[in-house]
Amino acid sequence: MTFQQKLDAIVEQQNSLLCIGLDSELARIPAHLQNKLNPQFTFNKAIIDATHDLVAAYKPNSAFYEARGVEGITELKMTSDYIREKYPDIALILDAKRADIGSTNEGYVKYAFDWLGADAITLHPYLGKEALKPFLDRKDKGCIILCRTSNPGAGEYQDLKLDSGNQAIELYQRVAKNVANDWNYNGNCGLVVGATYPEELTIVRRIVGEMPIIIPGIGAQGGDIEKTVKA
């Protein structure tokens, strides 16, 4: 089963488009867990067990685990294994925002897909399609490309105007067009577009059709869920 097939199946099964981020920063999880064995995994497990009938995907952010070194990476692995073993129908998306060239990407592919067992990974587009081929060529796995991110400074590069025939388009729109029309040759691509930019989200959805879009930014970052769903 490919990532897209798995995603389609769980969305229908759960009647849900919800992706829960497991961004378990040690200093911000409940105090009574912080000094226990495997605190991040214990926190994640509680969230997963409480929400497994409500979600289409879980998305651990690798940074919060890498920050703790061996212990954190071990707990990320434990979290990934738990999702795959206990709730195998739910998609597991590694939020790692990787991108490099050649053998470096081969290493990231093996880490994310073969060791952690993730169904998909978030990726930077800046190095272009050629550099990301080790990810794109994995037909069974999802490649979620950053397009219009949720942070306040996203427009510094993403809103740059580019000449495109008779009209100028912004860089994030070119990313969306390239991913939809050229990079998605295995039908395994998606995009990241922040809920904090509903107008841009409307434009991206129009460009990419039914392609999956991860939409972070609801809640603490101020994204409006009603505007997001309409977009």
Side-chain angles (χ1 to χ4, degrees), residues 128-222:
K129 171 187 171 185
E130 171 272 329
L132 292 184
K133 273 184 64 63
F135 295 99
L136 300 172
D137 287 347
R138 288 292 295 264
K139 297 180 182 181
D140 57 327
K141 301 296 186 178
C143 301
I144 315 297
I145 315 297
L146 298 177
C147 180
R148 188 62 166 82
T149 55
S150 60
N151 58 301
E156 180 176 354
Y157 289 114
Q158 294 167 26
D159 289 350
L160 289 176
K161 299 288 187 181
L162 305 174
D163 289 332
S164 181
N166 296 326
Q167 63 178 2
I169 65 171
E170 295 176 348
L171 179 58
Y172 79 89
Q173 296 172 31
R174 173 62 61 81
V175 170
K177 287 176 181 289
N178 284 12
V179 173
N181 299 329
D182 188 26
W183 299 18
N184 197 31
Y185 51 87
N186 280 322
N188 62 344
C189 287
L191 294 172
V192 176
V193 181
T196 44
Y197 297 102
E199 293 182 7
E200 289 85 344
L201 176 58
T202 302
I203 293 169
V204 171
R205 176 53 81 198
R206 189 164 61 240
I207 291 170
V208 304
E210 293 296 313
M211 180 179 291
I213 302 176
I214 288 182
I215 308 173
I218 298 294
Q221 293 185 58

Side-chain angles (χ1 to χ4, degrees), residues 61-79:
N61 189 311
S62 188
F64 297 110
Y65 305 91
E66 293 175 32
R68 295 184 59 227
V70 173
E71 292 85 357
I73 293 295
T74 298
E75 294 189 51
L76 175 58
K77 174 67 170 168
M78 292 170 68
T79 299

